[in-house]
PDB file of all heavy atoms in Angstrom:
ATOM      1  N   ILE B  55      12.701  -1.222 -23.592  1.00 91.00           N
ATOM      2  CA  ILE B  55      13.312  -0.413 -24.656  1.00 91.00           C
ATOM      3  C   ILE B  55      13.871   0.878 -24.076  1.00 91.00           C
ATOM      4  O   ILE B  55      14.893   1.380 -24.515  1.00 91.00           O
ATOM      5  CB  ILE B  55      12.275  -0.099 -25.761  1.00 91.00           C
ATOM      6  CG1 ILE B  55      11.703  -1.392 -26.321  1.00 91.00           C
ATOM      7  CG2 ILE B  55      12.914   0.738 -26.871  1.00 91.00           C
ATOM      8  CD1 ILE B  55      10.563  -1.173 -27.281  1.00 91.00           C
ATOM      9  N   SER B  56      13.200   1.405 -23.047  1.00 89.00           N
ATOM     10  CA  SER B  56      13.668   2.686 -22.523  1.00 89.00           C
ATOM     11  C   SER B  56      14.617   2.525 -21.343  1.00 89.00           C
ATOM     12  O   SER B  56      14.947   3.499 -20.677  1.00 89.00           O
ATOM     13  CB  SER B  56      12.479   3.553 -22.135  1.00 89.00           C
ATOM     14  OG  SER B  56      11.710   2.902 -21.159  1.00 89.00           O
ATOM     15  N   ILE B  68      18.807  -1.634 -32.731  1.00 90.00           N
ATOM     16  CA  ILE B  68      18.406  -0.268 -33.048  1.00 90.00           C
ATOM     17  C   ILE B  68      19.124   0.148 -34.323  1.00 90.00           C
ATOM     18  O   ILE B  68      20.359   0.114 -34.378  1.00 90.00           O
ATOM     19  CB  ILE B  68      18.732   0.676 -31.884  1.00 90.00           C
ATOM     20  CG1 ILE B  68      17.847   0.310 -30.693  1.00 90.00           C
ATOM     21  CG2 ILE B  68      18.484   2.125 -32.273  1.00 90.00           C
ATOM     22  CD1 ILE B  68      18.335   0.788 -29.387  1.00 90.00           C
ATOM     23  N   GLY B 193       9.893  12.372 -39.787  1.00 90.00           N
ATOM     24  CA  GLY B 193      10.713  11.168 -39.818  1.00 90.00           C
ATOM     25  C   GLY B 193      10.899  10.504 -38.467  1.00 90.00           C
ATOM     26  O   GLY B 193      11.673   9.559 -38.333  1.00 90.00           O
ATOM     27  N   ASN B 204     -10.668   3.168 -31.062  1.00 85.00           N
ATOM     28  CA  ASN B 204     -10.924   4.241 -32.028  1.00 85.00           C
ATOM     29  C   ASN B 204      -9.683   5.088 -32.260  1.00 85.00           C
ATOM     30  O   ASN B 204      -9.431   5.568 -33.361  1.00 85.00           O
ATOM     31  CB  ASN B 204     -12.119   5.097 -31.587  1.00 85.00           C
ATOM     32  CG  ASN B 204     -11.975   5.572 -30.152  1.00 85.00           C
ATOM     33  OD1 ASN B 204     -11.071   5.147 -29.442  1.00 85.00           O
ATOM     34  ND2 ASN B 204     -12.854   6.463 -29.739  1.00 85.00           N
ATOM     35  N   LEU B 288     -26.832   7.500 -13.435  1.00 96.00           N
ATOM     36  CA  LEU B 288     -26.446   8.888 -13.647  1.00 96.00           C
ATOM     37  C   LEU B 288     -24.934   8.929 -13.789  1.00 96.00           C
ATOM     38  O   LEU B 288     -24.211   8.540 -12.864  1.00 96.00           O
ATOM     39  CB  LEU B 288     -26.896   9.740 -12.453  1.00 96.00           C
ATOM     40  CG  LEU B 288     -26.500  11.205 -12.516  1.00 96.00           C
ATOM     41  CD1 LEU B 288     -27.385  11.951 -13.504  1.00 96.00           C
ATOM     42  CD2 LEU B 288     -26.576  11.864 -11.153  1.00 96.00           C
ATOM     43  N   ALA B 306     -21.420  10.376   0.683  1.00 93.00           N
ATOM     44  CA  ALA B 306     -21.268   9.211   1.560  1.00 93.00           C
ATOM     45  C   ALA B 306     -21.044   9.603   3.011  1.00 93.00           C
ATOM     46  O   ALA B 306     -20.973   8.741   3.882  1.00 93.00           O
ATOM     47  CB  ALA B 306     -20.110   8.349   1.071  1.00 93.00           C
ATOM     48  N   LEU B 452     -24.055  -3.158 -12.786  1.00 94.00           N
ATOM     49  CA  LEU B 452     -24.661  -1.837 -12.581  1.00 94.00           C
ATOM     50  C   LEU B 452     -26.049  -1.796 -13.208  1.00 94.00           C
ATOM     51  O   LEU B 452     -26.998  -1.282 -12.614  1.00 94.00           O
ATOM     52  CB  LEU B 452     -23.769  -0.735 -13.166  1.00 94.00           C
ATOM     53  CG  LEU B 452     -22.409  -0.535 -12.498  1.00 94.00           C
ATOM     54  CD1 LEU B 452     -21.633   0.589 -13.180  1.00 94.00           C
ATOM     55  CD2 LEU B 452     -22.555  -0.223 -11.019  1.00 94.00           C
ATOM     56  N   PHE B 464     -22.500   6.849 -11.490  1.00 96.00           N
ATOM     57  CA  PHE B 464     -21.329   6.244 -12.111  1.00 96.00           C
ATOM     58  C   PHE B 464     -20.356   7.335 -12.528  1.00 96.00           C
ATOM     59  O   PHE B 464     -20.644   8.139 -13.414  1.00 96.00           O
ATOM     60  CB  PHE B 464     -21.797   5.427 -13.326  1.00 96.00           C
ATOM     61  CG  PHE B 464     -20.688   4.866 -14.176  1.00 96.00           C
ATOM     62  CD1 PHE B 464     -20.129   3.629 -13.895  1.00 96.00           C
ATOM     63  CD2 PHE B 464     -20.219   5.564 -15.277  1.00 96.00           C
ATOM     64  CE1 PHE B 464     -19.124   3.103 -14.689  1.00 96.00           C
ATOM     65  CE2 PHE B 464     -19.197   5.049 -16.080  1.00 96.00           C
ATOM     66  CZ  PHE B 464     -18.659   3.812 -15.775  1.00 96.00           C
TER      67      PHE B 464
END
Side-chain angles (χ1 to χ4, degrees):
Chain B
I55 303 173
S56 59
I68 293 160
N204 51 352
L288 177 76
L452 294 180
F464 173 88

